[in-house]
């Protein structure tokens, strides 16, 4: 999935349909010259609806859609004929899509299941025809209700990638390489910072035909929570993950310091992220001997689940998958 095709944020104007007006009509037949009111009701305006679709991974198809307008309900007519409802507009979105009011930034809802439908902008109700206003004292009401106007407003859709495990680390920590080794995903891999510009998802096969989904999220740098580097644009993808897998290379100057910086950036962005299960994997550990591993391991934070791995030699990868599966279940 190239960076130009991965769109995780769109903003557009959503307008639901106006309701149709009720009719003022009286029954007039050959032998009934003064029949009662028979004006029908107006139809409901069309809704703007979001529907979850597991086949979609991006909001690219909505990138150039600046106005989404549902059709109006038809007006009622005589013989108690109600107007037809306006046609709904259904926007298919990937799972993990969050809808917000652009003016208040208030979260409206999120789509998390395939086929789930939520109304983004409710169509206006149709007006009542004059037959609804007939009373004992007013047998020939000459008024009907107009339809309610539709709802209009600016909407923001944000995509938060849905995955069991989110890879967290500085640029060039080896996250893409690990994902490419563990799964069939083929993220771009190179020896320079910010190779990964979009989240990559991979399905990792486990024992007995089980599997879990891992997301390689673009590298965090100090100040990411304030928008530096690739900024908070990618921090939101971490919110959906069950487990955070911290990846720090064995040749790091100070593994504990890097881990604390990563935690600090997550905390600044959203303190609830620290409630998630954490695993620390020391990558590129094929360059370490047992003595160095023991020394590094003894200095790691207490109570933190950790392991040594190498994506090149595949050392420790089975142990890592075991740790992840145990935490997921």
């Amino acid at each position: 999935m190239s960076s130009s095709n991965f769109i995780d944020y769109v903003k557009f104007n959503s307008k639901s349909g106006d309701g149709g007006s009720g009719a003022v009509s009286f029954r007039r037949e050959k032998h009934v010259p003064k029949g009662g009111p028979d004006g029908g009701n107006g139809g409901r305006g069309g809704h703007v609806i979001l529907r979850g679709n597991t086949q979609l991974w991006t909001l690219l198809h909505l990138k150039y859609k600046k106005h989404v307008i549902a059709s109006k309900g038809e007006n009622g007519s005589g013989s108690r004929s109600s107007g037809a409802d306006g046609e709904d507009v259904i926007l298919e979105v990937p799972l993990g899509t969050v809808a917000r009011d652009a003016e208040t930034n208030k979260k409206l809802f999120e789509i998390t299941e395939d086929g789930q439908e939520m109304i983004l902008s409710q169509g206006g109700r149709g007006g009542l025809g004059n037959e609804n206003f007939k009373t004992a004292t007013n047998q020939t009401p000459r008024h009907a209700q107009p339809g309610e106007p539709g709802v209009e407003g600016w909407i923001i859709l944000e995509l938060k990638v849905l995955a069991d495990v989110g890879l967290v680390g500085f640029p060039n920590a080896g996250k893409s390489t690990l994902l490419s080794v563990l799964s069939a995903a083929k993220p771009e891999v190179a020896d320079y910072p910010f190779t990964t510009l979009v989240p990559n998802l991979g399905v990792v096969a486990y024992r007995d035909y089980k599997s879990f989904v891992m997301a390689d999220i673009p590298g965090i740098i100090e100040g990411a929570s304030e928008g530096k580097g690739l900024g908070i644009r990618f921090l939101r993808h971490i919110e959906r993950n069950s487990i955070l897998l911290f990846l720090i290379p064995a040749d790091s100057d100070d593994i504990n310091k890097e881990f604390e910086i990563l935690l600090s950036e997550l905390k600044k962005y959203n303190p609830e992220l620290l409630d998630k299960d954490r695993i620390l994997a020391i990558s590129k550990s094929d360059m370490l001997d047992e003595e160095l591993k023991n020394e590094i391991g003894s200095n790691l934070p207490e109570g933190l689940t950790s392991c040594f791995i190498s994506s090149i030699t595949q050392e420790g990868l089975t142990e890592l998958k075991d740790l992840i599966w145990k935490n997921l279940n």
Side-chain angles (χ1 to χ4, degrees):
M1 195 188 296
S2 67
S3 57
S4 60
N5 289 339
F6 183 83
I7 303 297
D8 58 359
Y9 177 100
V10 292
K11 181 179 179 181
F12 59 88
N13 184 269
S14 174
K15 168 77 167 71
S16 60
D18 299 336
S21 297
V24 176
S25 173
F26 296 92
R27 187 175 165 212
R28 294 291 182 264
E29 296 174 20
K30 189 173 182 180
H31 303 294
V32 191
K34 291 188 178 179
D38 68 350
N41 302 331
R44 165 184 69 74
H47 300 316
V48 178
I49 295 171
L50 295 191
R51 178 194 287 158
N53 184 339
T54 50
Q55 301 304 308
L56 295 174
W57 294 97
T58 170
L59 297 172
L60 175 68
H61 59 297
L62 301 177
K63 182 179 179 182
Y64 301 107
K65 207 178 266 289
K66 293 304 174 193
H67 294 274
V68 177
I69 303 171
S71 59
K72 297 178 180 178
E74 290 185 4
N75 297 334
S77 56
S79 303
R80 297 178 178 173
S81 295
S82 293
D85 290 343
E87 197 172 331
D88 296 334
V89 173
I90 297 177
L91 303 176
E92 305 262 348
V93 294
L95 307 193
T97 299
V98 176
R100 296 184 185 278
D101 183 307
E103 290 184 24
T104 63
N105 205 37
K106 179 186 175 186
K107 177 180 169 181
L108 304 175
F109 55 81
E110 63 183 302
I111 301 290
T112 56
E113 295 175 18
D114 188 40
Q116 177 188 359
E117 291 188 358
M118 298 291 286
I119 295 175
L120 190 62
S121 302
Q122 183 124 8
R125 285 186 300 183
L128 298 175
N130 68 334
E131 73 157 337
N132 294 279
F133 299 101
K134 180 180 176 181
T135 65
T137 55
N138 183 6
Q139 297 287 315
T140 56
R142 297 184 180 278
H143 67 277
Q145 272 184 336
E148 286 184 355
V151 178
E152 183 174 9
W154 284 91
I155 299 293
I156 288 172
L157 298 184
E158 288 179 338
L159 174 60
K160 296 179 180 179
V161 169
L162 290 166
D164 299 307
V165 184
L167 286 166
V168 182
F170 284 97
N172 212 23
K175 301 187 297 301
S176 297
T177 307
L178 176 63
L179 186 69
S180 67
V181 171
L182 287 180
S183 74
K186 293 290 175 272
E188 187 179 345
V189 178
D191 191 23
Y192 56 88
F194 295 126
T195 309
T196 304
L197 296 173
V198 304
N200 289 296
L201 291 182
V203 177
V204 180
Y206 189 60
R207 307 169 197 266
D208 304 322
Y209 304 103
K210 300 184 182 84
S211 64
F212 54 85
V213 179
M214 183 177 279
D216 164 26
I217 294 148
I220 293 176
I221 63 166
E222 237 180 313
S225 56
E226 284 107 45
K228 291 183 184 174
L230 295 176
I232 61 172
R233 178 181 164 194
F234 296 117
L235 281 173
R236 69 165 165 266
H237 293 298
I238 298 171
E239 290 185 280
R240 311 279 344 135
N241 307 143
S242 305
I243 295 173
L244 300 181
L245 175 58
F246 291 82
L247 210 62
I248 298 177
D251 57 359
S252 165
D253 292 336
D254 189 331
I255 290 174
N256 283 348
K257 185 182 177 185
E258 278 201 21
F259 181 67
E260 288 303 320
I261 292 171
L262 292 170
L263 277 184
S264 173
E265 290 303 321
L266 296 184
K267 184 179 179 181
K268 285 179 200 169
Y269 174 68
N270 181 354
E272 291 179 10
L273 291 175
L274 300 193
D275 296 334
K276 295 182 182 291
D277 287 342
R278 298 172 219 155
I279 297 174
L280 172 61
I282 310 299
S283 64
K284 306 178 184 178
S285 58
D286 51 294
M287 59 179 73
L288 303 176
D289 57 25
E290 282 304 314
E291 189 178 339
L292 273 172
K293 286 181 187 175
N294 291 333
E295 186 181 331
I296 291 171
S298 62
N299 291 319
L300 294 178
E302 278 187 35
L304 178 65
T305 305
S306 62
C307 62
F308 291 88
I309 64 166
S310 168
S311 300
I312 305 301
T313 64
Q314 303 205 3
E315 172 196 340
L317 297 189
T318 301
E319 179 191 357
L320 176 62
K321 288 198 278 188
D322 287 342
L323 282 174
I324 290 169
W325 190 258
K326 183 180 175 184
N327 275 268
L328 284 174
N329 293 277

